[in-house]
Amino acid sequence: MEMLNIEHLTKLFPLKKKLFSRDQQYVHAVDDISFKIEKGKILGLVGESGCGKTTTAKLLVRLLKPTSGKIYIGGEDIAGLKEENLKKFRKNIQMIFQDPYESLNPRLTIHSTIAEPLIAQGLYNLEKIHDALEVVGLKPPEGFLYRYPHELSGGQRQRVAIARALVIDPIFVVADEPTSMLDVSIRAGVLNLMLALRKSFDLTVLFVTHDLAVARYMCDDIAVMHNGKIVETGNAEEVIRNPKHSYTKALLSAVPIPDPRAKRERIRIRGKVV
Amino acid sequence: MKKIENKKASQIRQIWALVRKSTFIKLGVSIMILFGIMAVFSPIWIHINPEVYDPIIGADPNVHGSVGPSLQHPLGTDDIGKDLFSQLLRGSQVAFMLGMMVSVFSTIIGAAIGLIAGYYGKIWDTLLMRLADIILTLPRLPLLIVISGIFGTQSNWIILLILSLTFWPIISRVIRAQTLSLRERPFIESARVSGVGNTRIIVKHLAPNVLPIAFYYLTVTVTGAILVEAGLSFLGFGDPSNMSWGMMLQWCFVKGYVFKAPYWMIPPGLCISLLAFSFYLIGVGLEEMVNPRLKKR
Ligand SMILES: Nc1ncnc2c1ncn2[C@@H]1O[C@H](COP(=O)(O)OP(=O)(O)O)[C@@H](O)[C@H]1O
Ligand SMILES: [Mg+2]
């Protein structure tokens, strides 16, 4: 059964009118896209910068209101819901933002930040916050609870953001390029954490990335986005091995995707030389 | 719970450490404390000999015409034998009270309105900012005359009311602009995804982040309020049942002693400038402190 079902989702942003021009022009940030995510799967939304990935992510968590289209989550269409009616659904769907230096309020302690969704749902419980910190590898939790974001590294901040997203046990998580702002050296740690959590929390995930190698590592399926449209969807391995659409081919040729086995060999050879 | 309190205490200690490092703030606060002492000393000084030293009803019967500083009258007297030092002390009290109250009121009103206009936008923004524009275009002096006319008297309370009502629009404009840019920041978006409601977003996420600027404008407003009060008093629109530095200047001017009695003219002028300057210094220091980007990196 699909957890998430997107039908003909469209988002237009009005452009500034030109002087004396009569008709309003629009940016077609998301242009009639449809896809499904099965329960417990990770769908990678891949495409180059500016193709509409973040807009899609924000539509799904209803930070933005769709111009048209449907967003079915567990069978319920949330595309047209007003802010007042969204509260119940906010418990089930969370987002991890791209830049952990921007997504945490600098004036709130880690404790207050992670407490937010719990307080909003009337479920505050210090133990849950402890657990969430432990689960994302910030141990011991007491050492982090009353610190401020600026006292943490980028990787630790993103872990806090993940803890906040998971503390109320959501069923669906949108992650918008969660490692693109992090040092290369700590990316793998955060990615592996997300894979582990996805298993233990039985999460359904939309994983946004511009990096095909990351998508291959993280995702079950891939949807390739180009100019606001989805041009190709399929099993991650299939799409990368055997791309059908010319845009996907172009993307792949621009960034060679290292085969994990080939990589190991290269390392071994270097080892011999040294 | 205990941990949270400890953290709050250490936060205050951190702020205090920062304050101590800022030369601007240290200088500003020192000057302010000086005037604070003057304000506190005012009733003590009057108590020595109320009949002579009371700044409103007292006068020295042995003095004829304005005389210069002496042991009995450290700053001399005015033309009818009133003690100028006593007037200066009372002026410090009035300037402090008025300046502080005006700035606190107008900052609270201005911050609340700026936050609401900036966060909710649309019709709220239009209505509130039009109101701010209208008030900004109203000239204070005629307004004061009209309102005094309505109440039938001039008192410091009316001055307080008018200054508060005319100062908030400046602050609300600044806070609104700040709110507009904060509203788009990812940490506000992530709060919304967390299910945080509008009121809590304003109170918990926006307000603390505009607080430093609000605080900065609070100090600027004190400076403005002190100067405007002095100006109003000088023009004869002060509270006749009280005494202020502006009124001292006014009397000195009206009685024709501007060039004859520097001991009458200079101290209140100096006090006005110094107290206003001290708040300005604190404002500059605060701005530097709460805007770490100005300092670090
Ligand atoms: N709030 C907005 N107003 C107007 N245009 C926007 C807005 N947000 C995004 N866009 C435009 O929509 C397009 C897609 O942006 P985005 O979803 O951020 O792309 P991506 O995340 O894939 O880099 C871009 O052309 C961008 O300029
Ligand atoms: Mg993006």
Side-chain angles (χ1 to χ4, degrees):
Chain A
M1 182 202 134
E2 60 267 2
M3 186 69 247
L4 185 85
N5 191 358
I6 305 299
E7 288 178 4
H8 306 292
L9 194 63
T10 301
K11 180 68 185 179
L12 309 180
F13 288 114
L15 279 173
K16 265 220 179 103
K17 268 192 199 164
K18 279 198 197 107
L19 199 58
F20 304 125
S21 130
R22 265 247 213 103
D23 38 37
Q24 175 73 56
Q25 304 252 324
Y26 294 94
V27 184
H28 292 241
V30 172
D31 194 359
D32 190 11
I33 62 171
S34 301
F35 60 83
K36 290 173 186 175
I37 311 181
E38 309 256 316
K39 189 167 180 351
K41 297 276 184 206
I42 300 186
L43 175 73
L45 188 62
V46 186
E48 54 190 350
S49 177
C51 72
K53 303 184 298 293
T54 297
T55 307
T56 306
K58 287 184 180 173
L59 286 169
L60 296 200
V61 299
R62 278 302 313 277
L63 274 174
L64 291 173
K65 200 168 161 71
T67 308
S68 65
K70 306 240 184 279
I71 304 168
Y72 291 102
I73 287 182
E76 194 182 348
D77 179 20
I78 60 155
L81 287 186
K82 290 216 172 76
E83 189 66 40
E84 307 91 80
N85 304 328
L86 278 170
K87 188 156 178 173
K88 175 186 66 163
F89 131 96
R90 295 255 181 244
K91 184 189 175 312
N92 292 334
I93 167 157
Q94 286 295 310
M95 177 159 172
I96 297 161
F97 289 80
Q98 182 169 15
D99 188 349
Y101 287 86
E102 281 286 326
S103 68
L104 304 179
N105 187 339
R107 290 179 196 281
L108 290 190
T109 59
I110 304 312
H111 165 268
S112 303
T113 296
I114 301 179
E116 291 268 50
L118 292 172
I119 293 171
Q121 302 292 341
L123 297 170
Y124 176 82
N125 178 341
L126 186 59
E127 209 138 293
K128 285 187 188 166
I129 299 173
H130 262 250
D131 293 349
L133 279 171
E134 235 162 40
V135 148
V136 297
L138 295 176
K139 287 182 244 188
E142 301 81 31
F144 289 93
L145 277 179
Y146 301 105
R147 285 162 83 179
Y148 286 87
H150 73 262
E151 300 172 57
L152 305 186
S153 71
Q156 288 173 328
R157 288 181 204 215
Q158 198 59 298
R159 283 165 196 263
V160 170
I162 295 172
R164 169 177 58 189
L166 297 185
V167 74
I168 46 165
D169 249 327
I171 47 185
F172 177 57
V173 170
V174 175
D176 185 10
E177 310 205 37
T179 55
S180 68
M181 294 289 178
L182 302 181
D183 273 2
V184 179
S185 57
I186 54 172
R187 276 184 196 171
V190 173
L191 290 177
N192 286 332
L193 171 69
M194 291 193 63
L195 282 178
L197 291 176
R198 167 258 188 132
K199 269 224 180 84
S200 52
F201 282 76
D202 192 23
L203 292 173
T204 308
V205 179
L206 179 79
F207 189 92
V208 173
T209 178
H210 64 266
D211 187 335
L212 277 163
V214 170
R216 176 189 220 174
Y217 184 67
M218 293 293 291
C219 306
D220 303 304
D221 297 309
I222 283 182
V224 182
M225 197 164 184
H226 178 47
N227 278 345
K229 289 186 161 44
I230 287 184
V231 295
E232 183 167 0
T233 32
N235 174 277
E237 210 55 46
E238 294 266 291
V239 171
I240 284 168
R241 287 240 181 111
N242 192 9
K244 301 242 158 33
H245 195 275
S246 57
Y247 177 73
T248 316
K249 286 178 191 161
L251 258 189
L252 278 162
S253 68
V255 195
I257 304 299
D259 186 322
R261 211 173 304 136
K263 199 173 181 183
R264 221 174 296 135
E265 252 162 38
R266 248 204 319 271
I267 291 167
R268 205 170 53 217
I269 293 167
R270 215 195 286 152
K272 263 184 192 165
V273 174
V274 170
Chain B
M1 270 295 124
K2 195 152 181 227
K3 264 211 174 112
I4 299 178
E5 275 160 33
N6 281 346
K7 199 68 196 185
K8 279 259 149 63
S10 87
Q11 221 178 328
I12 290 167
R13 233 176 292 133
Q14 274 177 5
I15 292 173
W16 182 238
L18 276 173
V19 166
R20 277 184 24 199
K21 256 191 255 164
S22 164
T23 322
F24 287 127
I25 294 184
K26 271 194 288 193
L27 195 60
V29 170
S30 309
I31 300 174
M32 223 175 81
I33 288 174
L34 212 70
F35 284 106
I37 293 172
M38 279 174 64
V40 172
F41 188 57
S42 169
I44 301 170
W45 177 253
I46 294 170
H47 189 73
I48 296 173
N49 188 350
E51 274 168 29
V52 176
Y53 288 148
D54 190 291
I56 314 297
I57 50 169
D60 192 336
N62 302 324
V63 168
H64 304 285
S66 176
V67 297
S70 62
L71 263 181
Q72 240 167 342
H73 301 288
L75 289 178
T77 70
D78 72 0
D79 60 323
I80 50 171
K82 284 166 155 300
D83 183 47
L84 289 173
F85 185 56
S86 165
Q87 295 186 359
L88 198 75
L89 295 182
R90 173 59 67 85
S92 184
Q93 247 181 2
V94 170
F96 247 103
M97 291 298 290
L98 209 73
M100 292 286 198
M101 280 165 101
V102 167
S103 61
V104 167
F105 286 156
S106 50
T107 304
I108 291 174
I109 300 172
I113 289 181
L115 280 167
I116 290 171
Y119 182 70
Y120 287 106
K122 294 182 190 155
I123 184 83
W124 287 108
D125 192 25
T126 316
L127 280 177
L128 292 171
M129 287 304 113
R130 282 300 146 269
L131 182 67
D133 286 343
I134 291 168
I135 291 176
L136 273 178
T137 56
L138 291 177
R140 283 196 189 102
L141 194 56
L143 195 68
L144 182 71
I145 297 169
V146 169
I147 295 187
S148 305
I150 295 171
F151 285 89
T153 166
Q154 285 151 21
S155 82
N156 277 340
W157 292 108
I158 294 174
I159 296 177
L160 175 77
L161 183 78
I162 289 166
L163 291 188
S164 302
L165 284 182
T166 50
F167 270 115
W168 73 258
I170 307 166
I171 296 167
S172 74
R173 284 221 154 270
V174 177
I175 300 287
R176 170 186 170 270
Q178 188 73 13
T179 308
L180 280 180
S181 79
L182 278 173
R183 192 178 66 171
E184 306 293 327
R185 296 271 298 273
F187 71 81
I188 298 295
E189 291 188 322
S190 51
R192 283 179 56 204
V193 173
S194 294
V196 181
N198 289 333
T199 316
R200 193 177 158 89
I201 285 186
I202 291 179
V203 174
K204 271 271 184 181
H205 292 266
L206 293 173
N209 280 290
V210 298
L211 203 66
I213 309 141
F215 218 73
Y216 168 67
Y217 272 86
L218 194 138
T219 61
V220 174
T221 309
V222 178
T223 311
I226 290 168
L227 293 177
V228 172
E229 192 278 334
L232 288 174
S233 299
F234 180 72
L235 292 173
F237 294 101
D239 185 340
S241 68
N242 213 325
M243 181 48 70
S244 75
W245 294 333
M247 284 164 81
M248 288 178 74
L249 288 177
Q250 187 217 354
W251 287 118
C252 181
F253 181 75
V254 168
K255 301 289 173 86
Y257 279 86
V258 173
F259 298 106
K260 276 189 274 177
Y263 50 85
W264 187 350
M265 172 78 180
I266 292 174
L270 206 64
C271 284
I272 293 170
S273 329
L274 262 181
L275 186 56
F277 185 57
S278 77
F279 279 102
Y280 173 75
L281 281 178
I282 295 170
V284 172
L286 280 176
E287 196 185 21
E288 193 184 66
M289 200 177 95
V290 298
N291 199 347
R293 254 168 267 167
L294 278 183
K295 222 173 182 182
K296 286 175 192 162
R297 281 186 216 179

